[in-house]
Amino acid sequence: MSALFEQFVLESRELLEAAGAALLRLERDPTDKAAINDLFRALHTLKGATALFDMAPFTRMVHAGEDALMAVRDGRASMSGELADRLLELLDIGAAWVDGLEFSQSLPDGADARAQEQEAGLRAALGGPAEAAGGGTPAGFAWVDELTESDRAKASGRTVTAIAYDPAEDCFFAGDDPLDLCRRIPDLLLLRIESAGAWPPLTDLDPYRCTLRFRALSGAPKDEVTRLFRGVPDQVSLATVVIPAPAEPAVPAAPVSLATAMLREQSRILGLPGSDEESAARRAAVLRAVRNILTAEGRDSEGVVLDRAAEGPTDALIRCLVSLADGPAAAPAEPAAPAASARRALRVDAERMDRLMALVGELVVAKGSLPYLAREAQEGRSADALAQGIKEAHGRIDSIVGDLQDAVLRLRLLPLSRVFDPLPRLVRDTARRLGKPVELHLSGGETEADKDILDILGEPLLHLVRNALDHGVEPPERRRAAGKPEVAALRVQAFQDSGGVVVEVSDDGAGIDAAAVRRKAVAQGTLTAEQAAALTEAEALRLILLPGLSTSDTVSDLSGRGVGMDAVRSAVEQAGGRVDVASTPGVGTRFRLILPLTMMVTRLVTVETAGALYGFPVTLVTGMQRVPHGAIRRMKHAESVVVQDAVVPLLRLRRLLNLPEDERERSGEAVLLLDLGGQPMALVVDAFRERAEVVLKPMTGLLARLRGYAGTAVLGDGRLLLALNLRELV
């Protein structure tokens, strides 16, 4: 991919995003002149960029959208819901084409037909003639149907402008030149010159009278041709028509292979409801079956994709199985470039780069003092003076390295508006589909977080917004009956707090009934009736984050399977954060995602067990205390301890890691108190150590399959620290 084409792909994505945001603003307020200007400017720039690379279908499709906007701006049409749907569909097609261009550098097959379909749809949305939109011929243009195949050749399969020009007999005296005017028709595909009537005898022929008529087809849009003939509007008729392509014999659809059918069935089985034990057993059986299918089909290499998806939530694994089922049928004739070859682009503020370069310069100067100290040591300088020099050099380098670390981390900081941008479109489409008027309020998009945090945050936000629209917000009639405004309010806001990032999703809907959550948990066997009754309101609400638990009585394609909130919790905890839930029945619900500012540097609470150091994310630790042996209760093989008047299960880290038992005599146990997705627990360790900020390195090679370990880090004294994934261990 050339540098110019790579720049085209990046800028096209930005233009499409800007156009989508402006279109949503325009739909909310059709009088917003700034929105229509921003939208027109984005499409116009995109049209020019596609024309530069000779992508005619892309250019023509964007031009059709530009024409529709011109009609809205000039007052010839209004911004209706149907027109907004058509324009959004155009932007979606453009985004899909740009994604394909990044790898294949060419438009997909059928792009021309897709562009024509969009042109016809936009004309219909603008209230154009139904005949043109359907491919028929408007009245007065029957001559188009009478064209021979040779005349249709250049226009075959295209949407064109038909021109019927009947000059006035005295047009020459008005200074008109009909033939020259027709020669200047843009993108002229066909020009027929005919006699307007029967030719008179040669002796009666008047050379100063025009007795000709002109019939033409142009590939340019109707508005552009109208401007050309603006001096003779009473002598010309224009119409947009579709010249059908020659009929081709239908190709029968390829039959679905047995492997494809089996893979699709496995994805269906994986989505069936059930208890945690049933889901886990079903998941393992599906994975074995899919691996066997891939092996039998000679597609062993795709097992890597399956293994990666198997480590994530269930809905991600289902999507992977669907893609594997559709993979061979949709495979291109030539292998596409692997995803790993795509370049990851990150735009950086110039000021941050300048600061980084300045710090590198300071580090080079500070490093220059080390050879001097080495010479002093060789020449036998006094130990006190040498130690003082080393301390001063260390202080300077330590300060610069700290600033350098901060500068490098800030290079990766991006505004949360990047994950907020898709939300208006999601809310608009989903609300229209559900018939619920909803107004989205976004704030804090300028809040910055690490790029990795933004990558993880995208999917949880979509789940929360979809749940709010499907379950939280009531239908208009229920809101009116409850005395609420008919238009619901959905708020998404972000802000920084205590060195981290907080994202809140709240609605003014029906809220969550904690009693209903308790009943559902008991019915599914997640808790006993006594355990459910002992839960506080906040603890009961957190039960909705458990896998398979949903308070919805119906399952839709948006939500209701009980996997969405579990995916939210898993993704946030993977990033070292946590999820808080607050809700009042009849008033609304608020979800708060509390995330670290960056994943590059992780704050851990370190403990020692069996002579090794282990770390736990600070966000999971709620306390540390010494517990006497007598305070530990035992029931068969299970242990528990009372913490703040609540019975908390107690586990031992040595047993979780299959390490030998501690035989030393001690008066009590060092217990680490943890909150594991709303479930409090206590963990016995050998000793507490200090907190540490470390750069975690993920496990690689064969060790990558050890899911109980989140990564490794080297401490300042050279010791190795193992960060644990407690959820996997438990």
Side-chain angles (χ1 to χ4, degrees), residues 127-148:
E131 296 85 4
T137 305
F141 287 84
W143 58 270
V144 176
D145 292 332
E146 299 169 1
L147 294 175
T148 64

PDB file of all heavy atoms in Angstrom, residues 127-148:
ATOM      1  N   GLY A 127     -38.644  11.903  -2.996  1.00  0.00           N
ATOM      2  CA  GLY A 127     -39.940  12.082  -3.627  1.00  0.00           C
ATOM      3  C   GLY A 127     -39.864  12.142  -5.122  1.00  0.00           C
ATOM      4  O   GLY A 127     -40.738  12.714  -5.788  1.00  0.00           O
ATOM      5  N   GLY A 128     -38.801  11.530  -5.710  1.00  0.00           N
ATOM      6  CA  GLY A 128     -38.646  11.519  -7.158  1.00  0.00           C
ATOM      7  C   GLY A 128     -39.645  10.583  -7.790  1.00  0.00           C
ATOM      8  O   GLY A 128     -40.392   9.869  -7.126  1.00  0.00           O
ATOM      9  N   PRO A 129     -39.707  10.566  -9.131  1.00  0.00           N
ATOM     10  CA  PRO A 129     -40.669   9.705  -9.823  1.00  0.00           C
ATOM     11  C   PRO A 129     -40.411   8.243  -9.528  1.00  0.00           C
ATOM     12  O   PRO A 129     -39.290   7.770  -9.570  1.00  0.00           O
ATOM     13  CB  PRO A 129     -40.439  10.027 -11.306  1.00  0.00           C
ATOM     14  CG  PRO A 129     -39.060  10.594 -11.367  1.00  0.00           C
ATOM     15  CD  PRO A 129     -38.852  11.300 -10.068  1.00  0.00           C
ATOM     16  N   ALA A 130     -41.485   7.532  -9.231  1.00  0.00           N
ATOM     17  CA  ALA A 130     -41.347   6.116  -8.906  1.00  0.00           C
ATOM     18  C   ALA A 130     -40.843   5.328 -10.089  1.00  0.00           C
ATOM     19  O   ALA A 130     -40.177   4.318  -9.948  1.00  0.00           O
ATOM     20  CB  ALA A 130     -42.696   5.558  -8.431  1.00  0.00           C
ATOM     21  N   GLU A 131     -41.194   5.799 -11.331  1.00  0.00           N
ATOM     22  CA  GLU A 131     -40.762   5.054 -12.506  1.00  0.00           C
ATOM     23  C   GLU A 131     -39.249   5.041 -12.598  1.00  0.00           C
ATOM     24  O   GLU A 131     -38.633   4.027 -12.875  1.00  0.00           O
ATOM     25  CB  GLU A 131     -41.351   5.681 -13.783  1.00  0.00           C
ATOM     26  CG  GLU A 131     -42.845   5.614 -13.872  1.00  0.00           C
ATOM     27  CD  GLU A 131     -43.489   6.780 -13.137  1.00  0.00           C
ATOM     28  OE1 GLU A 131     -42.757   7.643 -12.645  1.00  0.00           O
ATOM     29  OE2 GLU A 131     -44.727   6.818 -13.048  1.00  0.00           O
ATOM     30  N   ALA A 132     -38.631   6.206 -12.318  1.00  0.00           N
ATOM     31  CA  ALA A 132     -37.176   6.262 -12.408  1.00  0.00           C
ATOM     32  C   ALA A 132     -36.535   5.412 -11.333  1.00  0.00           C
ATOM     33  O   ALA A 132     -35.574   4.723 -11.563  1.00  0.00           O
ATOM     34  CB  ALA A 132     -36.709   7.706 -12.298  1.00  0.00           C
ATOM     35  N   ALA A 133     -37.098   5.472 -10.132  1.00  0.00           N
ATOM     36  CA  ALA A 133     -36.515   4.692  -9.055  1.00  0.00           C
ATOM     37  C   ALA A 133     -36.648   3.215  -9.314  1.00  0.00           C
ATOM     38  O   ALA A 133     -35.815   2.424  -8.940  1.00  0.00           O
ATOM     39  CB  ALA A 133     -37.196   5.059  -7.728  1.00  0.00           C
ATOM     40  N   GLY A 134     -37.680   2.812  -9.993  1.00  0.00           N
ATOM     41  CA  GLY A 134     -37.879   1.400 -10.242  1.00  0.00           C
ATOM     42  C   GLY A 134     -37.253   0.925 -11.513  1.00  0.00           C
ATOM     43  O   GLY A 134     -37.305  -0.241 -11.852  1.00  0.00           O
ATOM     44  N   GLY A 135     -36.619   1.784 -12.271  1.00  0.00           N
ATOM     45  CA  GLY A 135     -35.955   1.366 -13.486  1.00  0.00           C
ATOM     46  C   GLY A 135     -36.821   1.544 -14.706  1.00  0.00           C
ATOM     47  O   GLY A 135     -36.412   1.242 -15.818  1.00  0.00           O
ATOM     48  N   GLY A 136     -38.068   2.086 -14.595  1.00  0.00           N
ATOM     49  CA  GLY A 136     -38.909   2.319 -15.760  1.00  0.00           C
ATOM     50  C   GLY A 136     -38.540   3.619 -16.436  1.00  0.00           C
ATOM     51  O   GLY A 136     -37.613   4.314 -16.061  1.00  0.00           O
ATOM     52  N   THR A 137     -39.316   4.015 -17.453  1.00  0.00           N
ATOM     53  CA  THR A 137     -39.036   5.227 -18.211  1.00  0.00           C
ATOM     54  C   THR A 137     -40.131   6.243 -17.959  1.00  0.00           C
ATOM     55  O   THR A 137     -41.315   5.937 -18.124  1.00  0.00           O
ATOM     56  CB  THR A 137     -38.959   4.914 -19.711  1.00  0.00           C
ATOM     57  OG1 THR A 137     -37.988   3.887 -19.902  1.00  0.00           O
ATOM     58  CG2 THR A 137     -38.554   6.138 -20.495  1.00  0.00           C
ATOM     59  N   PRO A 138     -39.797   7.496 -17.547  1.00  0.00           N
ATOM     60  CA  PRO A 138     -40.819   8.514 -17.317  1.00  0.00           C
ATOM     61  C   PRO A 138     -41.550   8.860 -18.608  1.00  0.00           C
ATOM     62  O   PRO A 138     -41.043   8.642 -19.711  1.00  0.00           O
ATOM     63  CB  PRO A 138     -40.008   9.707 -16.794  1.00  0.00           C
ATOM     64  CG  PRO A 138     -38.712   9.138 -16.336  1.00  0.00           C
ATOM     65  CD  PRO A 138     -38.453   7.960 -17.212  1.00  0.00           C
ATOM     66  N   ALA A 139     -42.757   9.459 -18.448  1.00  0.00           N
ATOM     67  CA  ALA A 139     -43.546   9.849 -19.614  1.00  0.00           C
ATOM     68  C   ALA A 139     -42.787  10.865 -20.449  1.00  0.00           C
ATOM     69  O   ALA A 139     -42.143  11.780 -19.924  1.00  0.00           O
ATOM     70  CB  ALA A 139     -44.884  10.434 -19.153  1.00  0.00           C
ATOM     71  N   GLY A 140     -42.885  10.740 -21.772  1.00  0.00           N
ATOM     72  CA  GLY A 140     -42.199  11.641 -22.689  1.00  0.00           C
ATOM     73  C   GLY A 140     -40.805  11.188 -23.066  1.00  0.00           C
ATOM     74  O   GLY A 140     -40.130  11.860 -23.844  1.00  0.00           O
ATOM     75  N   PHE A 141     -40.349  10.070 -22.507  1.00  0.00           N
ATOM     76  CA  PHE A 141     -39.002   9.578 -22.805  1.00  0.00           C
ATOM     77  C   PHE A 141     -39.061   8.140 -23.320  1.00  0.00           C
ATOM     78  O   PHE A 141     -38.189   7.319 -23.023  1.00  0.00           O
ATOM     79  CB  PHE A 141     -38.117   9.651 -21.552  1.00  0.00           C
ATOM     80  CG  PHE A 141     -37.709  11.057 -21.196  1.00  0.00           C
ATOM     81  CD1 PHE A 141     -38.550  11.864 -20.459  1.00  0.00           C
ATOM     82  CD2 PHE A 141     -36.498  11.573 -21.622  1.00  0.00           C
ATOM     83  CE1 PHE A 141     -38.188  13.158 -20.130  1.00  0.00           C
ATOM     84  CE2 PHE A 141     -36.131  12.869 -21.302  1.00  0.00           C
ATOM     85  CZ  PHE A 141     -36.973  13.674 -20.552  1.00  0.00           C
ATOM     86  N   ALA A 142     -40.085   7.852 -24.095  1.00  0.00           N
ATOM     87  CA  ALA A 142     -40.209   6.509 -24.661  1.00  0.00           C
ATOM     88  C   ALA A 142     -39.057   6.180 -25.588  1.00  0.00           C
ATOM     89  O   ALA A 142     -38.735   5.001 -25.799  1.00  0.00           O
ATOM     90  CB  ALA A 142     -41.545   6.384 -25.401  1.00  0.00           C
ATOM     91  N   TRP A 143     -38.414   7.221 -26.145  1.00  0.00           N
ATOM     92  CA  TRP A 143     -37.292   6.976 -27.058  1.00  0.00           C
ATOM     93  C   TRP A 143     -36.149   6.235 -26.366  1.00  0.00           C
ATOM     94  O   TRP A 143     -35.348   5.568 -27.034  1.00  0.00           O
ATOM     95  CB  TRP A 143     -36.796   8.301 -27.657  1.00  0.00           C
ATOM     96  CG  TRP A 143     -36.345   9.312 -26.636  1.00  0.00           C
ATOM     97  CD1 TRP A 143     -37.115  10.255 -26.029  1.00  0.00           C
ATOM     98  CD2 TRP A 143     -35.028   9.469 -26.107  1.00  0.00           C
ATOM     99  NE1 TRP A 143     -36.379  10.997 -25.148  1.00  0.00           N
ATOM    100  CE2 TRP A 143     -35.079  10.534 -25.179  1.00  0.00           C
ATOM    101  CE3 TRP A 143     -33.819   8.826 -26.322  1.00  0.00           C
ATOM    102  CZ2 TRP A 143     -33.955  10.960 -24.473  1.00  0.00           C
ATOM    103  CZ3 TRP A 143     -32.696   9.243 -25.628  1.00  0.00           C
ATOM    104  CH2 TRP A 143     -32.776  10.299 -24.706  1.00  0.00           C
ATOM    105  N   VAL A 144     -36.081   6.333 -25.042  1.00  0.00           N
ATOM    106  CA  VAL A 144     -35.014   5.628 -24.325  1.00  0.00           C
ATOM    107  C   VAL A 144     -35.205   4.117 -24.460  1.00  0.00           C
ATOM    108  O   VAL A 144     -34.245   3.364 -24.650  1.00  0.00           O
ATOM    109  CB  VAL A 144     -34.989   6.048 -22.842  1.00  0.00           C
ATOM    110  CG1 VAL A 144     -33.954   5.242 -22.069  1.00  0.00           C
ATOM    111  CG2 VAL A 144     -34.693   7.530 -22.702  1.00  0.00           C
ATOM    112  N   ASP A 145     -36.478   3.674 -24.383  1.00  0.00           N
ATOM    113  CA  ASP A 145     -36.744   2.243 -24.508  1.00  0.00           C
ATOM    114  C   ASP A 145     -36.497   1.735 -25.924  1.00  0.00           C
ATOM    115  O   ASP A 145     -36.325   0.529 -26.130  1.00  0.00           O
ATOM    116  CB  ASP A 145     -38.191   1.941 -24.101  1.00  0.00           C
ATOM    117  CG  ASP A 145     -38.418   2.163 -22.610  1.00  0.00           C
ATOM    118  OD1 ASP A 145     -37.441   2.021 -21.845  1.00  0.00           O
ATOM    119  OD2 ASP A 145     -39.558   2.494 -22.222  1.00  0.00           O
ATOM    120  N   GLU A 146     -36.522   2.644 -26.896  1.00  0.00           N
ATOM    121  CA  GLU A 146     -36.367   2.242 -28.289  1.00  0.00           C
ATOM    122  C   GLU A 146     -34.907   2.199 -28.736  1.00  0.00           C
ATOM    123  O   GLU A 146     -34.621   1.895 -29.905  1.00  0.00           O
ATOM    124  CB  GLU A 146     -37.155   3.208 -29.187  1.00  0.00           C
ATOM    125  CG  GLU A 146     -38.651   3.206 -28.893  1.00  0.00           C
ATOM    126  CD  GLU A 146     -39.384   4.338 -29.597  1.00  0.00           C
ATOM    127  OE1 GLU A 146     -38.697   5.098 -30.323  1.00  0.00           O
ATOM    128  OE2 GLU A 146     -40.607   4.469 -29.418  1.00  0.00           O
ATOM    129  N   LEU A 147     -33.975   2.517 -27.829  1.00  0.00           N
ATOM    130  CA  LEU A 147     -32.554   2.511 -28.201  1.00  0.00           C
ATOM    131  C   LEU A 147     -32.099   1.098 -28.528  1.00  0.00           C
ATOM    132  O   LEU A 147     -32.528   0.125 -27.901  1.00  0.00           O
ATOM    133  CB  LEU A 147     -31.705   3.073 -27.054  1.00  0.00           C
ATOM    134  CG  LEU A 147     -31.910   4.558 -26.713  1.00  0.00           C
ATOM    135  CD1 LEU A 147     -31.093   4.930 -25.484  1.00  0.00           C
ATOM    136  CD2 LEU A 147     -31.520   5.452 -27.885  1.00  0.00           C
ATOM    137  N   THR A 148     -31.208   0.995 -29.484  1.00  0.00           N
ATOM    138  CA  THR A 148     -30.642  -0.306 -29.837  1.00  0.00           C
ATOM    139  C   THR A 148     -29.614  -0.707 -28.791  1.00  0.00           C
ATOM    140  O   THR A 148     -29.164   0.109 -27.974  1.00  0.00           O
ATOM    141  CB  THR A 148     -29.986  -0.239 -31.220  1.00  0.00           C
ATOM    142  OG1 THR A 148     -28.886   0.687 -31.159  1.00  0.00           O
ATOM    143  CG2 THR A 148     -30.977   0.226 -32.281  1.00  0.00           C
TER     144      THR A 148
END
